[in-house]
Amino acid sequence: MDIAATTCSAKDLAVLLSSSNSTSSLAAATFLCSQFSNISSKLSDTTYAVDNTYLLFSAYLVFAMQLGFAMLCAGSVRAKNTMNIMLTNVLDAAAGAISYYLFGFAFAFGTPSNGFIGRHHSYFALSSYPERPGADFSFFLYQWAFAIAAAGITSGSIAERTQFVAYLIYSSFLTGFVYPTVSHWFWSTDGWASASRSDNNLLFGSGAIDFAGSGVVHMVGGIAGLWGALIEGPRIGRFDRLGRSVALRGHSASLVVLGTFLLWFGWYGFNPGSFLTILKRYEKSLPYYGQWSAVGRTAVTTTLAGCTSALTTLFSKRLLAGHWNVIDVCNGLLGGFAAITSGCAVVEPWAAIVCGFVASWVLIGFNLVAKKLKYDDPLEAAQLHGGCGAWGVIFTGLFATKRYVNEVYSGDGDRPYGLLMGGGGKLLAAQFVQIVVIIGWVSVTMGPLFYGLHKMNLLRISTEDEMAGMDMTRHGGFAYAYNDEDDVSVKPWGKVGATSQSSTPTPTLTA
């Protein structure tokens, strides 16, 4: 029985307690009703406290992904740029916190608002937040952790050649305006394409389902990084005069693996945590079945997609390149995670395997295209987060199940669901709309920003600084005692205009 929903009437209860003294019966009934009211209130408080604690713990996990990003980025660049890339990851979090606090949170979730952008005054700088039931500071913290994840993705695409001031500018703009606007569209109850609109005026009767952000987070960060890397151009020595690819290997596979495992760990806050609450029952006829069950299922689908993508990448690259490469496997794993993030809560576990398998080939395919077009992304961020994120959005439109969609989004049983699951094409249409508008919005905001920084000579560092390494020229010294004699970018055959050699040894590190 739901005690919180039960009404206690002293007069009705007095009849059941009838005795020769009616006054005593009524007094006893009144006392019992007051006790039931106290129990109901305490249960409500306990539910809120448990849900809030769950959300805070999820926020801590998502924030821990920043350490994963830092380690992954550090291992993927050459040792002479380690301090630079680590500092940019710290600044993504720090600058992102201030910009999201001042503007971003209000643009994303300020309500009441219009369908395009949040605008309620109480959300700017959290001036009078929280002001309504169900809102608390834990929600702000969780959403901030998502915002800085998007900025961290972008930093990987433009690593090893970007001025420090450019990081500060783009990170603040992305977390304070570009990303919050997108999250408002798809996650706010007022967003024009949100699957959770409060007025049920849904896009194609469905809204776009992007549960934890394959589009909102990963595509936004990936497309922003794409424009930054395109406008900057490739690193010195990345392609020779004949256009052949020259590998500029990262200096530490150990850091890459460490970062990958930290990101994997954090993803259990990223995807399951996006339920925001855990104490919610779905069907009273099924004992022990509720949102806590969906949280567990979401963790399982996340795991299966990432692992399938990792294994597919392992064997595919073995066939294509002739060796087992741990860096490729780590990127494949992350590509699977980025893809499943959209539909993790609304698909069956077996479908997650399909998602991961295709995500691996999406990443491999985009990497081949990038090499053909002489596009240089040290962490494959645009291909991984942008490409696999887009596939994840489409995947949801194909494989979302009727039961899970209506449980997670509180439907009336008639919401559109996955095309291949018999739900028609309306959800898939909404998913394609999401992909198009994200690409368009990020392109018209971040593209001009990077181009403006380029024209003002604030984007790319000088050739001399790039050759020497930013740790020495911009940050006061190397992160390691470093010998750059084996660095391909300073070799005659590794520079632009060279005609031979297509691979590079790993830079030497000394104690």
Side-chain angles (χ1 to χ4, degrees), residues 98 116 157 170 221 232 260 269 278 314 339 348 382 388 391 459:
I98 301 303
F116 178 75
S157 295
Y170 98 77
E232 277 193 312
T260 300
I278 192 169
L314 174 69
E348 295 284 0
C388 294
W391 154 241
L459 185 60

Side-chain angles (χ1 to χ4, degrees), residues 152-166:
I153 292 168
T154 304
S155 67
S157 295
I158 57 178
E160 296 203 279
R161 59 204 190 275
T162 305
Q163 291 191 46
F164 188 67
V165 66

Side-chain angles (χ1 to χ4, degrees), residues 125-352:
L126 302 180
S127 58
S128 58
Y129 180 86
E131 63 172 9
R132 58 187 175 85
D136 213 322
F137 290 111
S138 56
F139 183 67
F140 166 81
L141 192 74
Y142 188 69
Q143 296 301 334
W144 160 71
F146 269 63
I148 60 176
I153 292 168
T154 304
S155 67
S157 295
I158 57 178
E160 296 203 279
R161 59 204 190 275
T162 305
Q163 291 191 46
F164 188 67
V165 66
Y167 281 109
L168 286 173
I169 294 172
Y170 98 77
S171 181
S172 298
F173 184 59
L174 183 67
T175 56
F177 179 64
V178 178
Y179 166 81
T181 303
V182 176
S183 60
H184 180 81
W185 294 349
F186 300 105
W187 286 346
S188 170
T189 54
D190 298 320
W192 65 269
S194 173
S196 304
R197 278 185 67 96
S198 55
D199 59 6
N200 291 322
N201 185 21
L202 302 172
L203 177 67
F204 298 121
S206 167
I209 293 179
D210 189 7
F211 182 73
S214 288
V216 174
V217 179
H218 294 282
M219 281 191 66
V220 168
I223 300 301
L226 172 68
W227 281 107
L230 283 174
I231 292 170
E232 277 193 312
R235 293 166 291 173
I236 295 173
R238 181 64 179 85
F239 299 96
D240 65 20
R241 185 176 61 183
L242 299 179
R244 293 177 299 190
S245 174
V246 178
L248 301 181
R249 301 185 191 279
H251 80 279
S252 175
S254 300
L255 288 178
V256 171
V257 173
L258 175 61
T260 300
F261 273 110
L262 287 169
L263 288 170
W264 187 343
F265 178 67
W267 235 292
Y268 292 126
F270 205 95
N271 287 3
S274 290
F275 280 97
L276 306 182
T277 61
I278 192 169
L279 287 184
K280 177 183 176 182
R281 173 165 288 187
Y282 288 151
E283 295 184 33
K284 294 183 179 180
S285 60
L286 294 177
Y288 311 115
Y289 181 72
Q291 196 135 288
W292 51 88
S293 308
V295 167
R297 184 184 66 246
T298 299
V300 170
T301 57
T302 300
T303 303
L304 291 175
C307 293
T308 301
S309 185
L311 291 173
T312 304
T313 303
L314 174 69
F315 292 105
S316 298
K317 294 294 288 186
R318 176 67 174 84
L319 293 174
L320 293 172
H323 56 267
W324 313 97
N325 191 313
V326 67
I327 306 298
D328 290 335
V329 171
C330 288
N331 284 337
L333 178 82
L334 298 177
F337 287 151
I340 195 61
T341 296
S342 173
C344 55
V346 295
V347 300
E348 295 284 0
W350 64 262

Side-chain angles (χ1 to χ4, degrees), residues 239 365-377 383:
F239 299 96
F366 273 114
N367 279 335
L368 292 175
V369 171
K371 185 179 295 186
K372 187 73 173 178
L373 298 178
K374 299 181 179 63
Y375 170 78
D376 182 23
D377 186 328
Q383 303 94 297

Side-chain angles (χ1 to χ4, degrees), residues 449-469:
L449 175 68
F450 282 121
Y451 185 74
L453 292 172
H454 170 69
K455 283 298 185 180
M456 292 185 290
N457 294 320
L458 295 176
L459 185 60
R460 184 157 185 162
I461 59 176
S462 67
T463 300
E464 293 75 18
D465 284 355
E466 188 173 347
M467 296 286 284

